[in-house]
Amino acid sequence: MRVVFVCGFAWDPKGTARARAFPLAAELVKRGHEVTILLAPYDNPSQSSKKWELHGVQIVNVDVGKNPGVRHVPFILKRLCAAIRQYSPDVVHFFKPKGYAGAACTWLLMRGFRRVALDCDDWEGWGGWNDVKDYPWVVKEYIEIGRAHV
């Protein structure tokens, strides 16, 4: 099976892709699946467009430019969605119901693709990061809607 994991952030410094997505991907590779982790490294643009393989897992950073800001969001999302299409996955596993991963998940679902997993084991939505972070209200509502429908 061809599986794509989508992380809306860089391999590091946060480490979520490395600590959560990669171990799952490596285990799937051991079981004979083809796995690619797609990253949108807006939080570490030095990794933009870099690709490597680790224990059989393809790790691909989409191009986010040298200094991505709010005006780059549609372009980064477009590149991330194009990368998902390029790999023609059987299943797509999205990490986080917000940011680039959540937006790409919404895009895929709106186009009728239903073989998705949405990982939201973090403290998302109201009672969690929505209460702590200074996100715009529309982002907070989007996060809550995504969390409620998983």
Side-chain angles (χ1 to χ4, degrees), residues 76-94:
I76 295 169
L77 181 58
K78 182 178 178 181
R79 290 176 188 136
L80 186 58
C81 292
I84 293 168
R85 283 193 314 267
Q86 176 187 343
Y87 287 94
S88 301
D90 297 306
V91 175
V92 183
H93 184 141
F94 294 92

Side-chain angles (χ1 to χ4, degrees), residues 72-149:
H72 294 95
V73 169
F75 303 107
I76 295 169
L77 181 58
K78 182 178 178 181
R79 290 176 188 136
L80 186 58
C81 292
I84 293 168
R85 283 193 314 267
Q86 176 187 343
Y87 287 94
S88 301
D90 297 306
V91 175
V92 183
H93 184 141
F94 294 92
F95 288 82
K96 293 211 177 272
K98 61 185 180 185
Y100 291 107
C105 182
T106 300
W107 174 84
L108 209 59
L109 289 169
M110 288 174 64
R111 278 146 187 81
F113 190 88
R114 297 290 184 250
R115 296 178 311 273
V116 301
L118 180 57
D119 184 324
C120 54
D121 67 343
D122 282 341
W123 199 36
E124 308 291 356
W126 297 112
W129 290 117
N130 274 1
D131 295 342
V132 176
K133 294 288 192 172
D134 189 26
Y135 300 133
W137 71 268
V138 71
V139 172
K140 290 181 178 191
E141 289 301 320
Y142 177 78
I143 292 167
E144 186 61 27
I145 290 167
R147 186 177 76 127
H149 288 92

Side-chain angles (χ1 to χ4, degrees), residues 2-46:
R2 185 174 293 146
V3 182
V4 168
F5 286 4
V6 178
C7 299
F9 34 78
W11 184 255
D12 54 33
K14 292 179 184 169
T16 301
R18 191 176 57 252
R20 286 180 32 208
F22 177 71
L24 292 170
E27 192 60 38
L28 286 170
V29 167
K30 285 181 193 176
R31 295 171 186 261
H33 301 286
E34 181 183 327
V35 184
T36 301
I37 298 176
L38 296 177
L39 304 165
Y42 75 92
D43 53 338
N44 189 350
S46 68

